[in-house]
Amino acid sequence: MKRIFKTLWIPAAVCAFCLTACTTLPLKALYTEPTVTGVTVNTENNHFDVVYAINCCVMPKAKDDFISFKVDTMLYTYRLDFSVNTGMKAILDRFFSISTLADSQHRQNGHRYLGETTLYAYASSAETISRLVAEGKIANHVRFSFLLKDGKKYLLLEGFQVQTLDGKLAIDDYIDSIPFHYDDIKKAYDFFNDTDQLEENRQKQLQIAIAAKQAEKDSQTAATQAEKDSSAAVDTQEAGIISNSEKSSAENQ
């Protein structure tokens, strides 16, 4: 039954998903804030060491902003992208609400499901990158939970199976549940909640991008004009040679 589910249901769901979101390369942000780098944790179930980083990625339009988790394992580096305004913000709102409740009740241990959202997943090794599909009841949907362990709070990305969707890397791997530290998640949450500063940064980066594009356009125009001028000079020179040759021929006659 599991094999039938894989061969029949997953491809159909993946195809529907790919119509709008399937590209091998990850999205390129207008501006990336490296919020957290080089944090080592143990996965929740198998206790493997992984190293994570969190990037806050600003796009030209606020609706497209996303959080990118980079997870280094022994074999691959995974990039896990989540839209801020399509699912992730609601999950983080619940996370901090439950965290406040746990503090008020002086809890030391606990677990609470927060919700699920769409994942855009990639794997890289050396210079090769591949797009992945996360298997589940809904393709590319993963679950988050609030985890309280010995008084320490984590945002838990629950484990899921991934396979290569597009690209040269042949991946069929289980990504174990990863706990992200409360303070690290708070930094990303605060970054996107500071809307005034966020919009100021967005507009500044848009102006830089526009200026860079105009400079590139001007450079291409200048190069094209220089090529035309050079070609015109050659044509003039050749015309002069032909004219002198004709004049010399006429004098000889």
Side-chain angles (χ1 to χ4, degrees), residues 131-150:
R131 178 70 187 274
L132 306 178
V133 57
E135 295 184 5
K137 292 182 179 179
I138 303 176
N140 292 308
H141 273 228
V142 293
R143 296 162 57 96
F144 283 93
S145 294
F146 171 84
L147 176 65
L148 182 62
K149 197 172 184 180
D150 299 327

Side-chain angles (χ1 to χ4, degrees), residues 23-120:
T23 57
T24 300
L25 296 178
L27 288 175
K28 185 176 181 181
L30 174 68
Y31 167 70
T32 298
E33 178 71 21
T35 311
V36 178
T37 59
V39 179
T40 301
V41 293
N42 290 330
T43 59
E44 185 62 18
N45 299 317
N46 296 322
H47 306 292
F48 295 144
D49 287 345
V50 296
V51 180
Y52 72 76
I54 303 175
N55 292 320
C56 295
C57 302
V58 178
M59 300 294 280
K61 295 182 179 180
K63 68 180 182 65
D64 298 323
D65 290 346
F66 62 97
I67 298 177
S68 182
F69 295 87
K70 177 184 174 183
V71 179
D72 286 326
T73 66
M74 290 182 63
L75 297 177
Y76 303 106
T77 296
Y78 292 105
R79 173 171 163 170
L80 313 174
D81 293 351
F82 300 92
S83 170
V84 173
N85 295 300
T86 308
M88 199 63 192
K89 186 179 186 306
I91 286 173
L92 294 183
D93 285 342
R94 294 189 200 106
F95 173 78
F96 288 106
S97 177
I98 293 173
S99 174
T100 301
L101 179 63
D103 287 342
S104 68
Q105 296 178 353
H106 308 290
R107 298 296 179 91
Q108 293 296 306
N109 294 281
H111 180 277
R112 178 73 66 84
Y113 171 69
L114 297 174
E116 65 180 49
T117 189
T118 303
L119 165 68
Y120 302 87

Side-chain angles (χ1 to χ4, degrees), residues 176-191:
D176 195 15
S177 299
I178 303 171
F180 299 99
H181 289 287
Y182 174 94
D183 289 343
D184 295 338
I185 296 302
K186 188 69 163 59
K187 291 176 184 177
Y189 185 71
D190 289 345
F191 177 86

Side-chain angles (χ1 to χ4, degrees), residues 159-177:
F160 54 95
Q161 187 77 26
V162 291
Q163 291 184 345
T164 300
L165 177 63
D166 187 28
K168 295 181 179 179
L169 296 177
I171 294 176
D172 186 357
D173 191 18
Y174 180 77
I175 298 178
D176 195 15
S177 299

Side-chain angles (χ1 to χ4, degrees), residues 31 33 58 190-205:
Y31 167 70
E33 178 71 21
V58 178
D190 289 345
F191 177 86
F192 285 111
N193 271 356
D194 188 354
T195 54
D196 291 340
Q197 186 62 53
L198 180 60
E199 288 309 311
E200 182 180 331
N201 289 340
R202 191 191 314 280
Q203 294 306 316
K204 184 184 297 182
Q205 294 300 322

